[in-house]
Amino acid sequence: MNTTKRQSFIKSPVGKKILTGITGLGLVIFVIEHMSGNLILMLEGSDAYNAYAHFLEGLGPILYLLELGLLAFFVFHIVLGINIWLGKRRARTHRYVKYRSAGKPSMQSPSSRSMIITGGILLVFLVIHLVSFKFGPGGPLHADPAYVTTVKGEVMRDLSKLVLEKFHHPAYAFGYPIVMLLLGVHLRHGIWSAFQSLGATNPRLTPGLYALGGLLALLIALGFLVLPLWIYFGGAA
Amino acid sequence: MAKKTMTIHLKIWRQAGPDASGRLVDYTVEANPHMSFLEMLDVLNEDLIKKGEEPVEFDYDCREGICGSCGVVVDGIAHGPQHRTAVCQLHMRHYRDGDTIVVEPWRAEAFPVIRDLVVDRGAFDRIISAGGYVSVNTGSAQDANNLPVPKPNADQAFDYAACIGCGACVAACPNASASLFTAAKIAHLALLPQGSPERQLRVERMVSQMQVEGFGDCSNHAECEAVCPKGISISAIARMRREYVKACLAGG
Ligand code: HEM
Ligand code: FES
């Protein structure tokens, strides 16, 4: 692909969708991985959780590369999402006095209409989340002897302690589940939509894909929101 | 004896010209339930002309759902609440005596209002000119059965070819995207051997023209399929995206 092609791909209405779709699905894979990691704390306890986080840190350059890729996916996804939203506002400056969906086979839903809102909230959440945990006490740029532990003779960050502390605050314990429900709302339309954006659908596949996308969105939201609630209501004690 | 006509209250978008500001104006009309929606508007216009007022401008030609000229947004839905019909095929019997109906033009920057309910759909013509055709050399006519087309492809191509270019897809799309219109043409021609030689250029040019015209991007709401008088499936859009990727990969 030469340079002019690459530029026109990212500016093209179809190229943009393909990239939002790829980055969206990449982020879905990431959140599933992240969710499974979190559940270790609930299912196997603090030591296993800390050991898992330590293992990830131990990947060193591989982890940095993955993080860089993840960052790129987020940046592309967000920039394109905002670009598509701005473009649609320009494409109809004069709104309808009365507008409603014609119903099936339309897939327009509160979820599909609110991608920019749920996405925007996720973006704000992401910053708070990274500051609270990844770059929180005991993390990079924030050494803190209170958040160090030893598991099977190995010294490592006590991430579990931080997580348990945070989710004893009602703001975290209840704020997180709300945001995770909104992630579910984003993905209710998002997962199906990404496949359609990649051209990987046909009329026979679509209903099943839409249903499975919704189910996966629900499972992801639930998988994330049980942990804060479990901790707040004393499950970890 | 029961009343044979029905009283319909209308709120119609009136706009004197492209640069004028418009507004909804209230009218009341006595319609016969067997009339089509456009015939009901004809009755209104006759009343207006008799009163010396300007009639409401609206587009139409065939009035049998095949030309794609007509199209207004009826109570928030392009071509009205009945699926798979153009507004010329919507009949007043679906309404009740005393109903109020809001009538607006297609709204998109790429479809500027000319007057009242008439919009300029020239953007669609320019998308077609960009690549929605097959080039044929002049000379002696080819034998009709020279190019075999597998039956499933022919059927599917026909489903996409059913597009009448009315613009309802754009009007209904929350993003004012022309993806279904453009994709229907691309998918139709991509399925046929006649369309194959130019498929790569076609998808690149038509997609870029779509953007030049100022249509929004598709967010896969699928509202277009629900209002399309021909029920064209958004699978056309999926196919357009596959065509686009193939063209990019082949383009080197
Ligand atoms: C955990 C994070 C996220 C995941 C897993 C995710 C996932 C997805 C997926 C799968 C899609 C569908 C892509 C498509 O239609 O082709 C999507 C669309 C979208 N995302 Fe996200 N997303 C995330 C975060 C964000 C953020 C932070 C924003 C910020 C603004 C955002 C804004 C959007 C928008 C506006 C769309 C709709 C694009 C369109 O209209 O076609 N997303 N997302
Ligand atoms: S007037 Fe021809 S389709 Fe309605």
Side-chain angles (χ1 to χ4, degrees):
Chain A
M1 235 192 246
N2 58 39
T3 332
T4 48
K5 248 301 177 36
R6 206 171 303 137
Q7 268 182 349
S8 63
F9 185 88
I10 194 166
K11 285 189 187 155
S12 142
V14 175
K16 274 192 240 176
K17 285 307 298 182
I18 291 168
L19 290 173
T20 359
I22 292 175
T23 54
L25 282 187
L27 295 177
V28 168
I29 292 170
F30 162 71
V31 292
I32 293 175
E33 207 289 319
H34 191 326
M35 180 192 84
S36 325
N38 291 356
L39 290 177
I40 294 178
L41 179 58
M42 211 172 118
L43 302 175
E44 294 178 38
S46 292
D47 283 357
Y49 181 70
N50 283 332
Y52 172 67
H54 188 62
F55 157 76
L56 287 182
E57 261 172 50
L59 292 175
I62 301 177
L63 181 69
Y64 296 144
L65 212 66
L66 285 173
E67 284 180 340
L68 205 68
L70 184 61
L71 180 68
F73 267 50
F74 266 113
V75 170
F76 270 95
H77 186 79
I78 293 165
V79 169
L80 286 166
I82 294 174
N83 173 284
I84 291 171
W85 177 73
L86 289 174
K88 84 155 205 191
R89 285 174 55 95
R90 275 195 306 272
R92 180 176 291 133
T93 51
H94 208 120
R95 302 267 206 100
Y96 288 108
V97 176
K98 191 165 179 183
Y99 176 85
R100 63 198 171 105
S101 170
K104 276 193 164 56
S106 171
M107 295 195 167
Q108 205 180 156
S109 63
S111 160
S112 80
R113 303 273 321 204
S114 64
M115 295 304 271
I116 189 69
I117 299 168
T118 48
I121 293 171
L122 286 173
L123 178 59
V124 174
F125 165 81
L126 203 63
V127 175
I128 299 172
H129 179 64
L130 287 175
V131 171
S132 305
F133 292 103
K134 185 165 177 66
F135 297 101
L141 318 170
H142 198 304
D144 187 336
Y147 293 89
V148 173
T149 182
T150 312
V151 178
K152 292 193 185 132
E154 238 187 297
V155 179
M156 59 184 70
R157 179 180 184 189
D158 196 351
L159 190 60
S160 165
K161 179 179 173 186
L162 179 63
V163 171
L164 295 178
E165 276 176 9
K166 289 282 185 200
F167 289 131
H168 275 111
H169 287 296
Y172 275 87
F174 296 105
Y176 264 61
I178 292 171
V179 176
M180 291 304 110
L181 285 175
L182 293 177
L183 171 64
V185 173
H186 193 75
L187 296 182
R188 199 288 146 260
H189 178 72
I191 293 175
W192 169 79
S193 173
F195 283 97
Q196 170 73 3
S197 292
L198 297 177
T201 51
N202 67 41
R204 260 171 305 141
L205 273 180
T206 297
L209 206 53
Y210 190 67
L212 282 179
L215 185 66
L216 187 58
L218 182 68
L219 290 178
I220 290 173
L222 292 178
F224 273 115
L225 69 77
V226 286
L227 184 73
L229 295 178
W230 179 75
I231 293 172
Y232 186 78
F233 290 107
Chain B
M1 216 176 87
K3 184 170 140 187
K4 285 228 181 72
T5 61
M6 54 205 295
T7 305
I8 297 289
H9 304 289
L10 294 161
K11 290 180 183 295
I12 301 184
W13 186 261
R14 300 301 311 257
Q15 182 174 336
D19 301 318
S21 65
R23 65 190 180 92
L24 287 179
V25 179
D26 292 345
Y27 298 102
T28 297
V29 58
E30 283 300 312
N32 179 309
H34 300 299
M35 284 176 176
S36 73
F37 197 86
L38 299 189
E39 283 164 339
M40 181 271 296
L41 292 181
D42 290 336
V43 171
L44 170 69
N45 277 345
E46 278 174 24
D47 291 350
L48 291 179
I49 291 166
K50 273 183 214 147
K51 281 193 269 178
E53 291 177 32
E54 284 289 328
V56 178
E57 295 279 340
F58 61 94
D59 258 333
Y60 64 89
D61 188 8
C62 70
R63 296 211 177 189
E64 55 184 23
I66 56 171
C67 75
S69 302
C70 67
V72 290
V73 171
V74 181
D75 278 337
I77 299 179
H79 287 308
Q82 184 174 267
H83 278 196
R84 297 215 176 186
T85 43
V87 71
C88 59
Q89 298 270 283
L90 174 67
H91 285 84
M92 295 313 295
R93 57 177 168 270
H94 299 292
Y95 289 92
R96 277 189 306 251
D97 191 25
D99 273 356
T100 300
I101 308 173
V102 179
V103 190
E104 294 176 78
W106 289 171
R107 294 205 186 278
E109 292 314 291
F111 284 169
V113 172
I114 297 173
R115 191 185 173 113
D116 297 339
L117 303 172
V118 178
V119 300
D120 178 359
R121 284 169 289 190
F124 270 10
D125 298 336
R126 292 185 290 276
I127 290 176
I128 293 296
S129 311
Y133 51 79
V134 293
S135 304
V136 184
N137 290 331
T138 53
S140 53
Q142 236 183 8
D143 180 67
N145 295 321
N146 235 356
L147 292 167
V149 182
K151 175 79 168 127
N153 286 19
D155 287 348
Q156 223 187 343
F158 192 81
D159 287 346
Y160 297 139
C163 171
I164 53 177
C166 62
C169 44
V170 173
C173 175
N175 297 10
S177 168
S179 291
L180 189 63
F181 168 78
T182 309
K185 189 52 75 183
I186 289 170
H188 156 209
L189 295 177
L191 281 159
L192 298 173
Q194 293 90 335
S196 265
E198 290 161 303
R199 64 197 305 166
Q200 201 174 314
L201 267 182
R202 176 179 307 116
V203 65
E204 283 171 9
R205 289 189 179 159
M206 291 182 77
V207 163
S208 98
Q209 191 63 33
M210 192 162 79
Q211 188 175 34
V212 169
E213 298 294 344
F215 292 105
D217 300 322
C218 170
S219 288
N220 301 327
H221 294 287
E223 191 62 36
C224 49
E225 179 175 338
V227 297
C228 177
K230 301 297 150 184
I232 294 176
S233 157
I234 54 162
S235 64
I237 300 177
R239 188 174 280 276
M240 167 172 75
R241 289 170 177 155
R242 296 200 291 277
E243 283 293 310
Y244 185 82
V245 171
K246 277 190 230 161
C248 284
L249 295 177

